[in-house]
Amino acid sequence: MTSPVPPVPLAPRRRSGRRRGLVGLVVALVAALAPTGLAAPAQAAPVLLSQGKPATASSVENGGTPAAAAVDGNTGTRWSSAAADPQWLQVDLGARATVTQVTLVWEDAYARAFQLQTSDNGTTWTTVHSTAAGTGGTQTIPVTGAGRYVRMYGTARATQYGYSLWELRVYGETGGGTPTCDTANAAQGRPATASSVENAGTPAAAAVDGDAGTRWSSAAADPQWLRVDLGSSRSICRVQLSWEAAYARAFQLQTSADGSAWTTVWSTTTGAGGTQSVDLTATGRYLRMYGTARGTEFGYSLYEMRVHVTGSDVPPVEPTDPRNPNLGPNTFVFDPSTPTATIQSRLNTLFTQQETNQFGPQRYAVLFKPGSYTADVNLGFFTQVAGLGMSPDDVNLNGHVRVEAFWMGGNATQNFWRAAENLSVTLPAGTSVERWAVSQAAPYRRMHLRGAQNQIQLWNGGDGWSSGGLMADTKIDGQVVSGSQQQWYSRNSEFGSWTGSVWNMVFQGVTGAPPPSFPNPSHTVIAQTPQVREKPFLYVDGTGEYRVFVPALRTNSTGTSWYGKTPAGTSLSLADFYVVQPGVGAATINAALAQGKHLLFTPGVHHVSEPINVDRANTVVLGLGLATIQPDNGTAAMRIADVDGVKVAGIMVEAGAVNSPVLMEVGPAGSATSHAANPTSLHDVFFRIGGPGVGRATTTLTVNSDDVIGDHMWLWRADHGDGVGWATNTADTGLTVNGDGVTMYGLFVEHYQKYQTVWNGNGGRTYFYQNEMPYDPPNQAAWANGTTRGYAAYKVAAGVTSHQAYGLGSYCYFNANPAVVADRAIEAPTNPNVRFTNMVTVSLGGVGTINRVVNNVGGTANAANQVVYLTTYP
């Protein structure tokens, strides 16, 4: 949201089927009459490549069920494995091939969950098909892939026995083409070393951190070198060097298997500096730039050394040391022995860089181990501060954890994308005010602001305004002052008191909430939260081991999950997680998931060329520092199977320039399994389409599974930044809900070009909804649904028979053409079991019109009457 005007108070501020016979007749007539020169070419049948080829397996049940029996063409012989998970069967096709189809003929002991994978070397694998709903019998699966080796990798058996296949048949054609050069940077975040450094501010790691503003520089002497450890032997296809002014005139690129013996794979004596992109074919675990002649009197200096590998060349999944994990170069972990000056210097540096950095790729996490600290944490964009205690009170910061809006003259309506979590704060002596002047995607979660005399202000304190935010699982001993904050959602928290209201304030399961009142003041109060789990979080236990705590579901709850009580839930060792560094491709991530790993994404932008497939129940996907996933080629960023209890938390999804039909999908279409006892939940999951550059996605988030919980989400089609325009960052719909029993707590959806939210499932519930319609329809004809002017911000489909929503706000600001009208903010069937409570529409600054609130009910918000309230419908 970019609010163009201050608020009023404070400073009143089934698809139809055709008969097959008729269709067949028409097709036959067309074929008979068509000129022979226009006939379609015959298509060759797929070739069976696997029969009689060498096969191996992870295990065999006995000597009578060998791996070779599954590729012998005899459906009376079979391979069967040991009765354990995982297990695999692979076949060597003898040469690289394009694989188009795999047929699995299962014996009764089949796989419920498995992947089909290809490999060029039999070591590193690419997943080309994945399922958690295997049916057994004969499965014919079309795939798109290439490799010399193909395997079935089973992760969950459907019976108590092992896996058992009569036949594994692989179809395609030999050749397979050349592996493509991956766009991801395999060097980013990997360990780097150098022959020398100019000073402590130019370390080797700075050349592989993904930050174009940091650099490595050497001593002013020849020769010098910089090397990176890629973690395993990789097939290197391109190296990109971004030189600072002090460049290399003569240098070699070298590879090594062990970091000792080096092979020169490319060299030059006429280097010109700038950005050099070198295409090559080489293999090695280590790559280094070996400089022999400088181009200036200074040392060698590189902003970035990027290494690209063949797309099919996926490294093995590295284990995680839970006592000394690699959380990436942009995660800073402090303990009580760290000097205060060191901590404050780091915090100041991050804030200076990130205060106005809305659309840069930099992401940071600042983590404090249990103990007491003195620190002023002033949070800028894409920075997360969090405690590593089991309770917020295990980490106390004497000072501040705050957000100001001085960079915009007090206007906090663009203070997005930052987070404070799992900390307690004691304000300095003589200070009684903390500030959290934010709008969307800036959670204040699992926090404790100590001191009954203190207050936290949700705006910049008298000189600005703000628009939207979340407090959850938080204790404020004193008072929360909302000031000019236009809208806010508080859930399961404990306040000494609350004061303030503008348009849309919602309290749910909050002790110390103000009395219910709407619209003056606009306080929507729901006594309890029907079913929720709090967000998973990283912590360090008493032995020094990093773990992730996954809170249990709570039913009909009030107050926090932790204050004066022991939180219920499950603790997972970080050894059970694959720690994802930027530059790691989706194939590796999916391989980790196939091995039963959870995921921890380190701060940065993670580019994927295929969806991340979360197929296993109870998988945790946790991001640090607002870790961002961006699909580069029009795929989904993540697909979640229709399974129990997946948790995705602290993740941002960024649309790429190639349109994605959907960015995230929870459950495939047609999902119908009940997950009421263990729902999938999404916590602080944010989406962005445009802003840093062109982004496009038809639908942002589709929820097909039943009983999913959304716990604070912002789906945003950018209204400012780069790559922004009606025909540029195109996006039809933010959220589509097809599952039944889905609940959204704190839902923000903005600026989409058709319906913002479409709800097709029954039994849905939304507690707090914030919306802005698109700013930029060029005219009414461009933004019309047939004869209806515009599209509703919240649409409940005509066939829905039960739905509830509380505390909804929808705003318009049609700055491209103020004559544009939205006929209504909410569109829903008129049914006593489809109920809306406490709604507001606003014409921001009187720029544009929302004609009605729900259907044809409610007043008109326009220049003459900018704010309209409606308490109930029907």
Coordinates of all heavy atoms in Angstrom, one line a residue, residues 721-798:
G721 N 7.7 1.6 -8.0 CA 9.0 0.9 -8.3 C 9.2 0.8 -9.8 O 8.6 1.4 -10.6
D722 N 10.1 -0.2 -10.1 CA 10.4 -0.4 -11.5 C 9.6 -1.6 -12.0 O 9.1 -2.5 -11.3 CB 11.9 -0.8 -11.7 CG 12.8 0.4 -11.4 OD1 12.4 1.5 -11.6 OD2 14.0 0.1 -11.0
G723 N 9.3 -1.6 -13.3 CA 8.6 -2.7 -13.9 C 7.1 -2.6 -13.5 O 6.5 -3.7 -13.3
V724 N 6.6 -1.4 -13.4 CA 5.2 -1.2 -12.9 C 4.4 -0.5 -14.0 O 4.8 0.5 -14.6 CB 5.2 -0.4 -11.6 CG1 3.8 0.0 -11.2 CG2 5.9 -1.1 -10.5
G725 N 3.2 -1.1 -14.3 CA 2.3 -0.5 -15.3 C 1.2 -1.4 -15.6 O 1.3 -2.7 -15.5
W726 N 0.1 -0.9 -16.1 CA -1.1 -1.7 -16.3 C -0.8 -2.9 -17.3 O -1.3 -4.0 -17.1 CB -2.2 -0.8 -16.9 CG -3.5 -1.5 -17.1 CD1 -4.1 -1.9 -18.2 CD2 -4.4 -1.9 -16.0 NE1 -5.3 -2.5 -18.0 CE2 -5.5 -2.5 -16.6 CE3 -4.4 -1.8 -14.6 CZ2 -6.6 -3.0 -15.9 CZ3 -5.4 -2.3 -13.9 CH2 -6.5 -2.9 -14.5
A727 N 0.0 -2.7 -18.3 CA 0.4 -3.8 -19.2 C 1.7 -4.3 -19.0 O 2.2 -5.1 -19.8 CB 0.3 -3.2 -20.7
T728 N 2.3 -4.0 -17.8 CA 3.7 -4.4 -17.5 C 3.7 -5.5 -16.4 O 4.0 -6.7 -16.7 CB 4.5 -3.2 -17.1 OG1 4.5 -2.2 -18.1 CG2 6.0 -3.6 -16.9
N729 N 3.4 -5.1 -15.2 CA 3.4 -6.2 -14.1 C 1.9 -6.7 -14.0 O 1.2 -6.3 -13.2 CB 3.9 -5.6 -12.8 CG 3.1 -4.5 -12.3 OD1 2.6 -3.6 -13.0 ND2 3.0 -4.4 -10.9
T730 N 1.6 -7.6 -15.0 CA 0.3 -8.1 -15.1 C 0.0 -9.2 -14.1 O 0.8 -10.0 -13.9 CB 0.0 -8.6 -16.5 OG1 1.0 -9.5 -16.9 CG2 0.0 -7.4 -17.5
A731 N -1.2 -9.1 -13.5 CA -1.6 -10.1 -12.5 C -3.1 -10.1 -12.3 O -3.6 -9.0 -11.9 CB -0.9 -9.8 -11.2
D732 N -3.8 -11.1 -12.6 CA -5.2 -11.1 -12.6 C -5.7 -11.2 -11.1 O -6.5 -10.3 -10.7 CB -5.8 -12.4 -13.3 CG -5.8 -12.2 -14.8 OD1 -5.4 -11.2 -15.3 OD2 -6.2 -13.2 -15.5
T733 N -5.3 -12.2 -10.4 CA -5.9 -12.5 -9.1 C -4.9 -12.8 -8.0 O -3.9 -13.4 -8.3 CB -6.9 -13.7 -9.2 OG1 -7.9 -13.4 -10.2 CG2 -7.6 -14.0 -7.8
G734 N -5.1 -12.3 -6.8 CA -4.2 -12.5 -5.7 C -4.3 -13.9 -5.1 O -3.5 -14.8 -5.3
L735 N -5.5 -14.1 -4.5 CA -5.7 -15.4 -3.8 C -7.0 -16.0 -4.3 O -8.0 -15.4 -4.5 CB -6.0 -15.1 -2.3 CG -6.4 -16.3 -1.4 CD1 -5.4 -17.3 -1.3 CD2 -6.8 -15.8 0.0
T736 N -6.8 -17.3 -4.6 CA -8.0 -18.2 -5.0 C -8.1 -19.4 -4.0 O -7.1 -20.1 -3.9 CB -7.9 -18.7 -6.4 OG1 -7.8 -17.6 -7.4 CG2 -9.0 -19.6 -6.8
V737 N -9.2 -19.5 -3.3 CA -9.4 -20.6 -2.4 C -10.4 -21.5 -2.9 O -11.6 -21.2 -3.1 CB -9.8 -20.0 -1.0 CG1 -10.1 -21.1 0.0 CG2 -8.8 -19.0 -0.4
N738 N -10.0 -22.7 -3.2 CA -10.9 -23.8 -3.6 C -11.2 -24.8 -2.6 O -12.2 -25.6 -2.7 CB -10.3 -24.5 -4.9 CG -10.2 -23.5 -6.0 OD1 -11.0 -22.7 -6.3 ND2 -9.1 -23.6 -6.7
G739 N -10.3 -24.9 -1.6 CA -10.5 -25.9 -0.5 C -11.6 -25.5 0.5 O -11.9 -24.3 0.6
D740 N -12.1 -26.4 1.2 CA -13.1 -26.2 2.3 C -12.4 -26.0 3.6 O -11.3 -26.5 3.8 CB -14.1 -27.4 2.4 CG -15.0 -27.5 1.1 OD1 -15.1 -26.5 0.4 OD2 -15.5 -28.7 0.9
G741 N -13.1 -25.2 4.5 CA -12.6 -25.1 5.8 C -11.3 -24.3 5.9 O -10.5 -24.5 6.9
V742 N -11.0 -23.4 5.0 CA -9.8 -22.6 5.0 C -10.0 -21.4 5.8 O -11.0 -20.7 5.7 CB -9.4 -22.3 3.5 CG1 -8.2 -21.3 3.5 CG2 -9.1 -23.5 2.8
T743 N -9.0 -21.0 6.6 CA -9.1 -19.9 7.5 C -7.9 -19.0 7.3 O -6.7 -19.4 7.2 CB -9.0 -20.3 9.0 OG1 -10.1 -21.2 9.2 CG2 -9.2 -19.1 9.9
M744 N -8.2 -17.7 7.1 CA -7.1 -16.6 6.9 C -7.2 -15.7 8.1 O -8.2 -15.0 8.4 CB -7.3 -15.9 5.6 CG -7.2 -16.8 4.4 SD -5.4 -17.1 4.1 CE -5.6 -18.5 3.0
Y745 N -6.0 -15.5 8.8 CA -5.8 -14.5 9.8 C -4.9 -13.5 9.3 O -3.7 -13.7 9.1 CB -5.2 -15.2 11.1 CG -6.0 -16.3 11.7 CD1 -5.7 -17.6 11.5 CD2 -7.2 -16.0 12.5 CE1 -6.4 -18.7 12.1 CE2 -7.9 -17.1 13.0 CZ -7.5 -18.4 12.9 OH -8.2 -19.4 13.5
G746 N -5.4 -12.2 9.2 CA -4.5 -11.2 8.8 C -4.2 -11.3 7.3 O -3.0 -11.6 7.0
L747 N -5.1 -11.0 6.4 CA -5.0 -11.2 5.0 C -4.9 -9.8 4.3 O -5.9 -9.1 4.4 CB -6.1 -12.1 4.4 CG -6.1 -12.3 2.9 CD1 -4.9 -13.0 2.4 CD2 -7.4 -13.1 2.5
F748 N -3.9 -9.6 3.6 CA -3.7 -8.3 2.8 C -3.5 -8.7 1.4 O -2.6 -9.4 1.0 CB -2.4 -7.6 3.3 CG -2.4 -7.3 4.8 CD1 -2.2 -8.2 5.8 CD2 -2.5 -5.9 5.2 CE1 -2.1 -7.9 7.1 CE2 -2.4 -5.6 6.5 CZ -2.3 -6.6 7.5
V749 N -4.4 -8.1 0.5 CA -4.3 -8.4 -1.0 C -4.5 -7.1 -1.7 O -5.5 -6.4 -1.5 CB -5.4 -9.4 -1.4 CG1 -5.2 -9.8 -2.9 CG2 -5.3 -10.7 -0.5
E750 N -3.6 -6.7 -2.6 CA -3.6 -5.4 -3.2 C -3.3 -5.3 -4.6 O -2.4 -6.0 -5.1 CB -2.7 -4.5 -2.4 CG -3.0 -4.2 -1.0 CD -2.2 -3.1 -0.4 OE1 -1.0 -3.1 -0.5 OE2 -2.8 -2.2 0.2
H751 N -4.1 -4.5 -5.3 CA -3.8 -3.9 -6.7 C -3.9 -4.9 -7.8 O -3.4 -4.6 -8.9 CB -2.4 -3.3 -6.7 CG -2.1 -2.3 -5.6 ND1 -3.0 -1.2 -5.4 CD2 -1.1 -2.2 -4.7 CE1 -2.5 -0.5 -4.4 NE2 -1.4 -1.0 -3.9
Y752 N -4.5 -6.0 -7.7 CA -4.7 -7.0 -8.8 C -5.6 -6.4 -9.8 O -6.5 -5.6 -9.5 CB -5.1 -8.4 -8.2 CG -3.9 -9.0 -7.6 CD1 -3.6 -8.8 -6.2 CD2 -3.0 -9.8 -8.3 CE1 -2.5 -9.3 -5.6 CE2 -1.9 -10.4 -7.6 CZ -1.7 -10.1 -6.3 OH -0.6 -10.7 -5.7
Q753 N -5.6 -7.0 -11.0 CA -6.3 -6.4 -12.1 C -7.7 -7.0 -12.4 O -8.4 -6.4 -13.1 CB -5.4 -6.5 -13.4 CG -4.1 -5.7 -13.3 CD -3.2 -6.0 -14.5 OE1 -2.6 -7.1 -14.6 NE2 -3.0 -5.0 -15.3
K754 N -8.0 -8.1 -11.7 CA -9.4 -8.6 -11.7 C -9.8 -8.8 -10.3 O -9.6 -7.9 -9.5 CB -9.4 -9.9 -12.5 CG -9.2 -9.6 -14.0 CD -9.4 -10.9 -14.9 CE -9.2 -10.5 -16.4 NZ -9.3 -11.7 -17.2
Y755 N -10.4 -9.9 -9.9 CA -10.8 -10.1 -8.5 C -9.5 -10.2 -7.7 O -8.6 -10.9 -8.0 CB -11.6 -11.4 -8.3 CG -13.0 -11.3 -8.9 CD1 -13.3 -12.1 -10.0 CD2 -13.9 -10.4 -8.4 CE1 -14.6 -12.1 -10.6 CE2 -15.2 -10.3 -9.0 CZ -15.5 -11.2 -10.0 OH -16.8 -11.1 -10.6
Q756 N -9.5 -9.5 -6.5 CA -8.4 -9.6 -5.6 C -8.3 -10.9 -4.9 O -7.3 -11.6 -4.9 CB -8.4 -8.5 -4.6 CG -8.7 -7.1 -5.2 CD -7.5 -6.5 -5.9 OE1 -6.4 -6.3 -5.3 NE2 -7.7 -6.2 -7.2
T757 N -9.5 -11.3 -4.4 CA -9.6 -12.6 -3.7 C -10.9 -13.3 -4.2 O -11.9 -12.7 -4.3 CB -9.7 -12.4 -2.2 OG1 -8.5 -11.8 -1.7 CG2 -10.0 -13.7 -1.4
V758 N -10.7 -14.6 -4.5 CA -11.9 -15.4 -5.0 C -12.0 -16.6 -4.1 O -11.0 -17.4 -4.0 CB -11.7 -15.9 -6.5 CG1 -12.9 -16.7 -6.9 CG2 -11.6 -14.7 -7.4
W759 N -13.1 -16.8 -3.5 CA -13.3 -17.9 -2.5 C -14.4 -18.8 -3.0 O -15.6 -18.5 -3.1 CB -13.8 -17.3 -1.1 CG -13.3 -18.1 0.0 CD1 -13.7 -19.4 0.3 CD2 -12.3 -17.7 1.0 NE1 -13.0 -19.8 1.5 CE2 -12.2 -18.8 1.9 CE3 -11.6 -16.6 1.2 CZ2 -11.3 -18.8 3.0 CZ3 -10.7 -16.6 2.3 CH2 -10.6 -17.7 3.1
N760 N -14.0 -20.0 -3.4 CA -14.9 -21.0 -4.0 C -15.2 -22.1 -3.0 O -16.1 -22.9 -3.3 CB -14.2 -21.6 -5.2 CG -14.0 -20.6 -6.3 OD1 -14.9 -19.8 -6.6 ND2 -12.8 -20.6 -6.9
G761 N -14.4 -22.3 -1.9 CA -14.7 -23.4 -1.0 C -15.7 -23.0 0.1 O -15.9 -21.8 0.4
N762 N -16.3 -24.0 0.7 CA -17.2 -23.8 1.8 C -16.5 -23.7 3.1 O -15.4 -24.2 3.3 CB -18.3 -24.9 1.8 CG -19.4 -24.6 0.9 OD1 -20.0 -23.5 0.9 ND2 -19.8 -25.6 0.1
G763 N -17.2 -23.1 4.1 CA -16.7 -23.1 5.5 C -15.5 -22.2 5.6 O -14.7 -22.3 6.6
G764 N -15.3 -21.3 4.7 CA -14.1 -20.4 4.9 C -14.3 -19.3 5.9 O -15.4 -18.9 6.2
R765 N -13.2 -18.8 6.5 CA -13.3 -17.7 7.5 C -12.1 -16.8 7.2 O -10.9 -17.2 7.0 CB -13.2 -18.3 8.9 CG -14.3 -19.2 9.3 CD -14.1 -19.8 10.6 NE -13.0 -20.8 10.6 CZ -12.7 -21.6 11.6 NH1 -13.5 -21.6 12.7 NH2 -11.7 -22.4 11.6
T766 N -12.3 -15.5 7.3 CA -11.3 -14.5 7.2 C -11.5 -13.6 8.4 O -12.5 -13.0 8.6 CB -11.4 -13.7 5.9 OG1 -11.1 -14.6 4.8 CG2 -10.3 -12.6 5.9
Y767 N -10.4 -13.4 9.1 CA -10.4 -12.4 10.2 C -9.3 -11.3 9.9 O -8.1 -11.6 9.9 CB -10.0 -13.1 11.5 CG -10.9 -14.2 11.9 CD1 -10.7 -15.6 11.6 CD2 -12.0 -14.0 12.7 CE1 -11.5 -16.6 11.9 CE2 -12.9 -15.0 13.0 CZ -12.7 -16.3 12.6 OH -13.5 -17.3 13.0
F768 N -9.9 -10.2 9.5 CA -9.1 -9.0 9.0 C -8.8 -9.2 7.6 O -8.0 -10.1 7.2 CB -7.9 -8.7 9.8 CG -7.2 -7.5 9.4 CD1 -7.5 -6.2 9.9 CD2 -6.2 -7.5 8.4 CE1 -6.8 -5.1 9.4 CE2 -5.6 -6.4 7.9 CZ -5.9 -5.2 8.4
Y769 N -9.3 -8.3 6.8 CA -8.9 -8.2 5.3 C -8.6 -6.8 5.0 O -9.4 -5.9 5.2 CB -10.1 -8.7 4.5 CG -9.9 -8.8 3.0 CD1 -9.0 -9.8 2.5 CD2 -10.5 -7.9 2.2 CE1 -8.8 -9.8 1.1 CE2 -10.3 -8.0 0.8 CZ -9.4 -9.0 0.3 OH -9.2 -9.0 -1.1
Q770 N -7.5 -6.6 4.4 CA -7.1 -5.3 3.9 C -6.8 -5.3 2.4 O -6.1 -6.2 1.9 CB -5.9 -4.8 4.7 CG -5.4 -3.4 4.3 CD -4.6 -3.3 3.1 OE1 -3.7 -4.2 2.9 NE2 -4.8 -2.4 2.1
N771 N -7.4 -4.4 1.7 CA -7.3 -4.4 0.3 C -7.2 -3.0 -0.3 O -7.9 -2.1 0.2 CB -8.5 -5.1 -0.4 CG -8.7 -4.8 -1.8 OD1 -9.5 -3.9 -2.2 ND2 -7.9 -5.4 -2.7
E772 N -6.4 -2.8 -1.3 CA -6.5 -1.7 -2.2 C -6.7 -2.2 -3.6 O -6.1 -3.1 -4.1 CB -5.2 -0.8 -2.2 CG -5.2 0.2 -1.1 CD -4.0 1.1 -1.2 OE1 -3.2 1.0 -2.1 OE2 -4.0 2.1 -0.4
M773 N -7.7 -1.6 -4.3 CA -7.9 -1.9 -5.7 C -6.8 -1.4 -6.5 O -6.0 -0.6 -6.0 CB -9.3 -1.3 -6.1 CG -10.5 -2.0 -5.4 SD -12.0 -1.2 -5.8 CE -13.2 -2.3 -5.0
P774 N -6.7 -1.8 -7.8 CA -5.5 -1.3 -8.6 C -5.6 0.2 -8.8 O -6.7 0.8 -9.0 CB -5.7 -2.1 -9.9 CG -7.2 -2.4 -10.0 CD -7.6 -2.7 -8.6
Y775 N -4.5 0.9 -8.7 CA -4.5 2.3 -8.9 C -4.6 2.7 -10.4 O -5.1 3.8 -10.7 CB -3.1 2.9 -8.4 CG -2.9 3.0 -6.9 CD1 -1.7 3.4 -6.4 CD2 -3.9 2.6 -6.0 CE1 -1.4 3.5 -5.1 CE2 -3.7 2.7 -4.7 CZ -2.4 3.2 -4.2 OH -2.2 3.3 -2.8
D776 N -4.2 1.8 -11.3 CA -3.8 2.2 -12.6 C -4.7 1.7 -13.8 O -4.3 1.7 -14.9 CB -2.4 1.7 -12.9 CG -2.2 0.2 -12.7 OD1 -3.0 -0.4 -12.0 OD2 -1.2 -0.3 -13.1
P777 N -6.0 1.4 -13.5 CA -6.9 1.2 -14.7 C -6.9 2.4 -15.6 O -7.2 3.5 -15.1 CB -8.2 0.9 -14.2 CG -8.0 0.4 -12.8 CD -6.8 1.2 -12.3
P778 N -6.5 2.3 -16.9 CA -6.5 3.5 -17.7 C -7.8 4.1 -18.0 O -8.0 5.3 -18.2 CB -5.7 3.0 -19.0 CG -6.0 1.6 -19.0 CD -6.0 1.1 -17.6
N779 N -8.8 3.2 -18.0 CA -10.2 3.7 -18.3 C -11.2 2.6 -17.8 O -10.7 1.4 -17.5 CB -10.4 4.0 -19.7 CG -10.0 2.9 -20.7 OD1 -10.4 1.8 -20.6 ND2 -9.0 3.2 -21.5
Q780 N -12.5 2.9 -17.8 CA -13.4 1.9 -17.3 C -13.5 0.6 -18.2 O -13.6 -0.5 -17.7 CB -14.8 2.5 -17.3 CG -15.8 1.7 -16.4 CD -15.5 1.7 -15.0 OE1 -15.6 2.7 -14.3 NE2 -15.1 0.6 -14.4
A781 N -13.3 0.8 -19.5 CA -13.4 -0.3 -20.4 C -12.3 -1.3 -20.2 O -12.5 -2.6 -20.3 CB -13.3 0.1 -21.9
A782 N -11.1 -0.8 -19.7 CA -10.0 -1.7 -19.4 C -10.2 -2.5 -18.1 O -9.5 -3.5 -17.9 CB -8.7 -0.9 -19.3
W783 N -11.1 -2.0 -17.3 CA -11.3 -2.6 -16.0 C -12.8 -2.8 -15.8 O -13.5 -2.0 -15.1 CB -10.7 -1.7 -14.9 CG -10.6 -2.5 -13.6 CD1 -9.9 -3.6 -13.3 CD2 -11.1 -2.0 -12.3 NE1 -10.0 -4.0 -12.0 CE2 -10.8 -3.0 -11.3 CE3 -11.9 -0.9 -11.9 CZ2 -11.1 -2.9 -10.0 CZ3 -12.3 -0.8 -10.5 CH2 -11.9 -1.8 -9.6
A784 N -13.4 -3.8 -16.5 CA -14.8 -4.1 -16.4 C -15.0 -5.6 -16.6 O -14.3 -6.3 -17.3 CB -15.6 -3.3 -17.5
N785 N -15.9 -6.1 -15.8 CA -16.3 -7.6 -15.8 C -17.7 -7.7 -16.5 O -18.7 -7.7 -15.9 CB -16.3 -8.1 -14.4 CG -16.6 -9.6 -14.4 OD1 -16.4 -10.3 -15.4 ND2 -16.9 -10.1 -13.2
G786 N -17.6 -7.7 -17.8 CA -18.9 -7.6 -18.6 C -19.5 -6.2 -18.4 O -18.9 -5.2 -18.6
T787 N -20.7 -6.2 -17.9 CA -21.4 -5.0 -17.7 C -21.1 -4.4 -16.3 O -21.6 -3.3 -15.9 CB -22.9 -5.2 -17.8 OG1 -23.4 -6.2 -16.9 CG2 -23.3 -5.6 -19.3
T788 N -20.4 -5.2 -15.5 CA -20.1 -4.7 -14.1 C -18.8 -3.8 -14.2 O -17.8 -4.2 -14.8 CB -19.8 -5.9 -13.2 OG1 -21.0 -6.7 -13.1 CG2 -19.4 -5.4 -11.8
R789 N -18.9 -2.7 -13.6 CA -17.7 -1.8 -13.5 C -16.7 -2.3 -12.5 O -17.0 -2.4 -11.3 CB -18.2 -0.4 -13.2 CG -19.0 0.3 -14.2 CD -19.6 1.6 -13.8 NE -20.5 1.5 -12.7 CZ -21.1 2.5 -12.1 NH1 -20.9 3.8 -12.6 NH2 -21.9 2.3 -11.1
G790 N -15.6 -2.6 -13.0 CA -14.5 -3.1 -12.1 C -14.8 -4.5 -11.6 O -15.7 -5.2 -12.1
Y791 N -13.9 -4.9 -10.7 CA -14.0 -6.3 -10.0 C -14.0 -6.1 -8.5 O -13.3 -5.2 -8.0 CB -12.8 -7.1 -10.4 CG -12.8 -7.6 -11.8 CD1 -12.3 -6.7 -12.8 CD2 -13.2 -8.8 -12.2 CE1 -12.3 -7.1 -14.2 CE2 -13.1 -9.3 -13.5 CZ -12.7 -8.4 -14.5 OH -12.7 -8.8 -15.8
A792 N -14.8 -6.9 -7.9 CA -14.9 -6.8 -6.4 C -13.5 -7.2 -5.8 O -12.7 -8.0 -6.4 CB -15.9 -7.8 -5.8
A793 N -13.2 -6.6 -4.6 CA -12.0 -6.9 -3.9 C -12.1 -8.3 -3.2 O -11.0 -8.9 -3.0 CB -11.7 -5.8 -2.9
Y794 N -13.3 -8.7 -2.9 CA -13.5 -10.0 -2.2 C -14.7 -10.6 -2.7 O -15.8 -10.1 -2.6 CB -13.6 -9.7 -0.7 CG -13.5 -10.8 0.3 CD1 -12.3 -11.1 1.0 CD2 -14.6 -11.7 0.5 CE1 -12.2 -12.1 1.9 CE2 -14.5 -12.7 1.4 CZ -13.3 -12.9 2.1 OH -13.2 -14.0 3.0
K795 N -14.5 -11.7 -3.5 CA -15.6 -12.4 -4.1 C -15.8 -13.8 -3.5 O -14.9 -14.6 -3.5 CB -15.4 -12.5 -5.6 CG -16.5 -13.3 -6.3 CD -16.3 -13.4 -7.8 CE -17.4 -14.3 -8.5 NZ -18.8 -13.9 -8.2
V796 N -17.0 -14.0 -3.0 CA -17.4 -15.4 -2.6 C -18.3 -15.9 -3.7 O -19.3 -15.3 -4.1 CB -18.2 -15.3 -1.2 CG1 -18.6 -16.8 -0.8 CG2 -17.3 -14.7 -0.2
A797 N -17.9 -17.1 -4.2 CA -18.6 -17.7 -5.4 C -20.1 -18.0 -5.1 O -20.5 -18.3 -4.0 CB -17.9 -18.9 -5.9
A798 N -20.9 -18.0 -6.1 CA -22.3 -18.1 -6.0 C -22.7 -19.4 -5.4 O -23.7 -19.5 -4.7 CB -23.0 -18.0 -7.4

